[in-house]
Amino acid sequence: MSNRIPGFRHPEAQKNRRGYTRKAYEGGISTLCAGCGHDSISSAIITAFFEMAVEPHRVAKLSGIGCSSKTPAYFLGRSHGFNSVHGRMPSVATGANMANRDLVYLGVSGDGDTASIGMGQFTHVIRRNLDMIYVVMNNGCYGLTKGQDSATADKGSKSKKGAPASLESIDLCEMAIQLGAGFVARSFSGDKKQLLPILKAAIAHKGVAFVDVISPCVTFNNVPTSTKSYSWVRDHREATQSFDFIPLMQEITAEYPHGTAAPVALHDGSIINLYKREDKEVISSRREAIAALEETKEREQILTGILYLDPESQDTHQILGTTETPLNSLGEKELCPGNAVLQAFNDSLR
Ligand SMILES: Cc1ncc(C[n+]2csc(CCOP(=O)(O)OP(=O)(O)O)c2C)c(N)n1
Ligand code: SF4
């Protein structure tokens, strides 16, 4: 049986400003369990890239190993892709980005893939601020290997089988903020209304955009005793703020009430309009962003939304001062400028 979605589409299907229909952003038919949160995230990714009108051939999707890391097979079927080994997505993304800075890099990982075997890779790709969208589909367990607790399972949370988690959980958003990411967000696979603008803003952001999406595993970790179940997340969510995202080139038509919207311009000219809650967080302060996360946790709530944003953050290429021309487009003359240049460079370091 083919895993391709049937090719027929209505001839009048809506096109984005680059002339692509949504179909150009779809992939194969999912083989994940029916109801898995990861499928909802895939669907939001398709919509986000379609509505942002990113040309499919300008996207590279990279992943590790896990049910979550399988999802790039189910979206952006016309884009470049590399399904790497467990926990190694960030280094593959780094290599690709260093060679060709002109593509949009989308890394997809799981909480097992990132918070255990890939922890070293995660910390360094964030610290380097690689220009990529880093999505973790976070279900608190290793879905692909039958539901063992992962390092993001909250202490005391109990999955379908086994004992309550006995160790402190790792909060990847807190780590990403502390490590210097310029864009950190948390959302829920069951809330497309919130997830979609977060993904669009992540696409527009320059530097690493880390997006942790709580994504229930219906087969192994969707019981009421689990803090990553649909019911628990629905009952314990708080949003930092509501916001809308206005991509570059879209006419601004909405009227915003005075004093409530805080517009933040991103590198590419897109705008995030944040409607701040009166009593709440300053998302441009790392210290306050981490404090807001901790304070919400103490009340047994989950903070979602854009948790931290620095639109001025510098990506790896800016930090290293690399050439604007992608390395894979340079010729031998530029790449190998000769012994005299090498000697002069060595001398400059003595
Ligand atoms: C080097 C290595 N160690 C262990 C495994 C077994 N393994 C496969 S997927 C996985 C964890 C997946 O969990 P997660 O990243 O949370 O993804 P999910 O399946 O929950 O979406 C593990 C431990 C492996 N494939 N390779
Ligand atoms: S095992 Fe869990 S994570 Fe994997 S596809 Fe099924 S529901 Fe999703």
Side-chain angles (χ1 to χ4, degrees), residues 30-39 66-68 70 139 141-147 215-221:
S30 172
T31 57
L32 302 186
C33 310
C36 175
H38 300 353
D39 278 336
C67 299
S68 34
K70 282 169 69 177
N139 53 20
C141 72
Y142 298 173
L144 191 69
T145 53
K146 302 224 177 302
S215 176
C217 168
V218 287
T219 302
F220 299 112
N221 201 14

Side-chain angles (χ1 to χ4, degrees), residues 185-188 191 194 198 214 233 237-241 293 296 302-307:
R186 174 166 283 142
S187 193
F188 173 41
D191 185 355
Q194 184 196 51
I198 286 179
I214 301 171
V233 179
R237 250 169 12 117
E238 261 184 40
T240 51
Q241 72 284 97
L293 276 163
T296 318
I302 307 167
L303 196 60
T304 62
I306 297 178
L307 306 172

